[in-house]
Amino acid sequence: MNAQPRRICLVGVGLIAGSLGLALRRAGAVTEVVGLGRRSEPLARARELGAVDRYSLDPAEALAGSDLVVLGVPLGAIRGVMAQLRPWLTDDTVLTDVGSAKGCVVGDVKAALGHFPTRFVPGHPIAGTEHSGVEAAFATLFQGRRVILTPTADTSGDATATVQWMWECVGAEVITMSVEHHDRMLAITSHLPHLLAFGLVDMLSRAPDHEEILRYAAGGFRDFTRIASSDPVMWRDICLGNREAVLDALAGYRRDLEALAELVEAADADGLEAVFRSAKQTRDAHLHWFER
Ligand SMILES: NC(=O)c1ccc[n+]([C@@H]2O[C@H](COP(=O)([O-])OP(=O)(O)OC[C@H]3O[C@@H](n4cnc5c(N)ncnc54)[C@H](O)[C@@H]3O)[C@@H](O)[C@H]2O)c1
Ligand SMILES: O=C(O)C(=O)C[C@]1(C(=O)O)C=C[C@@H](O)C=C1
């Protein structure tokens, strides 16, 4: 039915939902963007920055007349927020989220409602930064980026079309896949690199001479570790929310790291060069997917 919603409610207006609000308002896609959250101060700031038209701390007020509800809260808050919204959801409300792992969202929504609504379309914009909060939001974040939707077998086609329409309004390309496939892919391309970056910086921070070590860090270290400045709580939730796939990715990486250590130990120049050459070729050939 409502392929083009008139009023969108953003629940948790931080980096991702704030950027979505800015972009939707800039595109003139909807009549009104309403923010719902726990504290007035950041929501007032979201309105000042132009991410929402108005805001409320009251789910009944924020959800009234909203055709589409976007959960922009961290993964760890999905279950509680869904339980809170439950009384105010109608059969026509289309719901989606932006969480970085999808299996846990489906599980938490089911736990909160007792079932997974046919009008809930799990989603994940493959775009972000290491910063959090609405202050870090910007309208072009999703321009030319990909958004993965993971509708279940029961998800309404109309609801999926509505969510797809929303992301296309802000310049994103929408791809659909299963929850399991999403979680396996993203464990490798996003969750593993974040673990490695956090792990490397943590290891370094425990070295007694880390102040001196960091003095000699430059572009390579900066590029490799930028994402270690991301929100620790958000990444804790992601790693635990996608535990199995993250563990598989880590196990594969550990094996390969061990093999690399053996090559260095054996001073195997050809072996090392072959690994580096293959990695360079792969990265260079696929740069168009992840270059901004
Ligand atoms: N940061 C990224 O690069 C990125 C990219 C893609 C997807 N995501 C996903 O998007 C989601 C949000 O990430 P973000 O970077 O926008 O985080 P953020 O911290 O910038 O925003 C989260 C917002 O939710 C609010 N919030 C937290 N708990 C709440 C609750 N119980 N009720 C109401 N509001 C609550 C916070 O106040 C904040 O405004 C996460 O699930 C994350 O996995 C993040
Ligand atoms: O560019 C960054 O800082 C990001 O971490 C963005 C990034 C990622 O590429 O891993 C992080 C989490 C997501 O769910 C999607 C995108």
Side-chain angles (χ1 to χ4, degrees), residues 88 103 177 201 235:
W88 322 109
M177 64 178 69
V201 180
W235 282 97

Side-chain angles (χ1 to χ4, degrees), residues 100 124-130 190 194 226-227 235:
S100 303
H124 179 199
I126 313 299
T129 73
E130 70 276 30
S190 176
H194 278 79
R226 174 182 64 81
I227 52 181
W235 282 97

Side-chain angles (χ1 to χ4, degrees), residues 195-246:
L195 264 173
L196 301 182
F198 280 124
L200 175 67
V201 180
D202 178 59
M203 180 190 86
L204 194 156
S205 73
R206 284 180 284 107
D209 52 350
H210 71 268
E211 292 294 347
E212 192 200 348
I213 295 173
L214 283 170
R215 208 176 306 150
Y216 309 118
F221 188 81
R222 184 199 57 221
D223 291 351
F224 189 82
T225 61
R226 174 182 64 81
I227 52 181
S229 290
S230 304
D231 181 26
V233 172
M234 175 176 129
W235 282 97
R236 175 200 69 189
D237 290 353
I238 294 170
C239 289
L240 297 182
N242 195 21
R243 221 159 121 228
E244 276 178 35
V246 166

Side-chain angles (χ1 to χ4, degrees), residues 12-16 37-38 72-75 77 81 98-100 124-125 127-129 132-133 234 238:
V13 190
L15 168 70
I16 299 297
R38 298 169 298 180
V73 299
L75 287 175
V81 163
V98 296
S100 303
H124 179 199
T129 73
S132 296
M234 175 176 129
I238 294 170

